[in-house]
Every structure is written in structure tokens, then in C-alpha cells.
Amino acid sequence: MLRKTVKNYLELCRVSNLPTVWTNVLTAVVLSGSRFSWPVFLMLSLSMTLFYAGGMCLNDIYDITPDRIKKSSRPLVTGRISLSNATMFTSVLFGVAMGLLAVMPFTRAMLAGFVLLTVIIAYDILHKSSPLTVILMAGCRLMIFVVSSLAVTGRMVPSLAVAALIHFLYIIALSLVARHENNMIRPFKLPLIPLMLAGISLLDGIIMAVLASPAWLFAGIAGFLLTCYGQRFVKGD
């Protein structure tokens, strides 16, 4: 029973995509120029993980009605997780995520965290109402870099701004492709969206290899493979 419950919540949080969040944080820390600290990196990664998971939960909460048609196997639609439990769980995730930012070296991370939370909520509420909300989704990913940079250095360095912008544009492209597939009678023959999601980590590896050291490419490859592996058990889209 416990195992099934845990699996349901992991599915609700789209945990297979989390390696892409970790490589985002890694890229931000590496490009920030600050001395690498494992405790700071791990706490920052956990905070961004909880923000991401909370955003996925909130997305399913607001999409429960349309999901009954196109995503009928999701935990909230099937009743495997109640709406009230999902709402409480989401609040806890966001609360702990903000709390972890409070112990970062620079308190500016807290302010950036509030901005990230605002963008997440805005996207989850509005994303069905306009195609332009892909900008909000891309903004969520961009804010991971902003929060991470402010957390470890208190500022945004140019190379990190470039990395954030690249990801911003990549997520817009990914979102547009996903929406196109959603409107198709039959999905793409290849699992294009899952591969593009995993590709976020690969993009991180390439960016770190170019702007920092070629050795970091292996971290991106590891994140890509780990995401692909996780997608075999929990859908990421």
C-alpha cells in the first residue's frame, strides 16, 4: 500500500524530469564563478526540486477537468490521490522550497524564489487560456538559473545570463512542439517530447563544456541518460 502511494506521488511530481533541474542548478553554480560547495549545491538542488515538483502538482490540480479527456491515467483523475491531499502536499513542497532558500549564502535568493513561485502559479492557472503562456513556462526554467546565481553569488554573471537565455528559448521551442503534438490526431512516432525534456540536461552539459570546461559535458550526458531511464517508470510529459 505504501509503495503504491509513494509511486502515485512520484508520478504526480513528474520525478523523471528532476535530473534536468539538477543539471540546471549545476550549470548555474559552475558558471557563477563561486567556489563549489557541496552543501550549498545540494540544498539549492533540493529547493529547486521541490519548486519543480510543486509546480507539477499544481498543474494537475488546475488541469483535473481537461485531463479527464486527454490524460485520464493521471493520479488525480483516477482518484489515486485526492484533490485535498494534492493541494496540501503542494503547499508543503513550496513552503519547504522557500525555507531552504532562507539558508543560502545570499538572501537575495529568497526574493528571486518568490518571483519563481509567482511565475509557476501564473503559468499553472493561465496556461490553458493562451498560447503565449509558453513564455511563462520558459520563465520558470529561466528563474532556476536566476535563483541559483543569486543564492551563491548575490548577482547574475554574464555567462550565466547567456545560459539562462538559451534555456528560455529551448523551453519555448519544446512547449510549442508539445502543444502541436497535443493537437494532432496521432502523436509523433518517436517519443519526441520525452527526448526533448531529457535534452535539457544535455544542453546544460554543452553549455558548461563551452563556457567552463569540456569535462562538464559528462554531467550533461549523465543527466540526459538518467532522465531517459526515469521516463521508463514515470512519464515526464
Side-chain angles (χ1 to χ4, degrees), residues 49-211:
T49 292
L50 297 179
F51 272 119
Y52 184 89
M56 292 296 101
C57 295
L58 190 63
N59 182 274
D60 277 16
I61 289 171
Y62 277 102
D63 282 1
I64 188 168
T65 299
D67 280 351
R68 294 186 194 281
I69 300 172
K70 288 197 171 184
K71 305 283 185 178
S72 58
S73 63
R74 285 187 169 174
L76 294 186
V77 176
T78 58
R80 286 177 284 144
I81 298 175
S82 70
L83 193 58
S84 59
N85 285 346
T87 302
M88 182 174 62
F89 183 62
T90 302
S91 300
V92 171
L93 291 176
F94 285 144
V96 176
M98 287 299 303
L100 288 169
L101 292 181
V103 298
M104 289 293 105
F106 293 87
T107 55
R108 290 181 182 179
M110 280 285 290
L111 178 59
F114 279 116
V115 175
L116 172 57
L117 180 57
T118 301
V119 177
I120 289 172
I121 294 172
Y123 172 76
D124 285 334
I125 293 174
L126 301 172
H127 74 281
K128 292 293 186 183
S129 63
S130 170
L132 294 178
T133 52
V134 296
I135 297 174
L136 288 174
M137 186 175 189
C140 293
R141 187 67 64 160
L142 180 146
M143 284 304 301
I144 293 177
F145 291 89
V146 175
V147 174
S148 299
S149 180
L150 293 178
V152 297
T153 67
R155 60 193 179 92
M156 192 75 177
V157 299
S159 59
L160 196 44
V162 170
L165 180 59
I166 291 172
H167 274 281
F168 179 81
L169 296 174
Y170 182 85
I171 295 300
I172 287 179
L174 191 160
S175 300
L176 292 175
V177 172
R179 290 194 176 198
H180 174 68
E181 184 179 37
N182 239 12
N183 294 325
M184 293 170 60
I185 298 175
R186 295 180 181 177
F188 296 119
K189 292 183 179 179
L190 290 175
L192 185 59
I193 302 307
L195 285 174
M196 288 185 73
L197 284 167
I200 294 171
S201 286
L202 195 57
L203 183 58
D204 279 323
I206 294 171
I207 291 171
M208 287 188 287
V210 172
L211 299 180

Side-chain angles (χ1 to χ4, degrees), residues 13-78:
C13 294
R14 317 282 207 284
V15 293
S16 59
N17 292 335
L18 290 180
T20 69
V21 175
W22 304 334
T23 57
N24 284 167
V25 176
L26 179 62
T27 301
V29 173
V30 168
L31 297 184
S32 70
S34 64
R35 187 175 68 86
F36 191 90
S37 167
W38 275 106
V40 170
F41 169 71
L42 292 175
M43 282 194 295
L44 190 52
S45 294
L46 179 57
S47 176
M48 294 302 101
T49 292
L50 297 179
F51 272 119
Y52 184 89
M56 292 296 101
C57 295
L58 190 63
N59 182 274
D60 277 16
I61 289 171
Y62 277 102
D63 282 1
I64 188 168
T65 299
D67 280 351
R68 294 186 194 281
I69 300 172
K70 288 197 171 184
K71 305 283 185 178
S72 58
S73 63
R74 285 187 169 174
L76 294 186
V77 176
T78 58

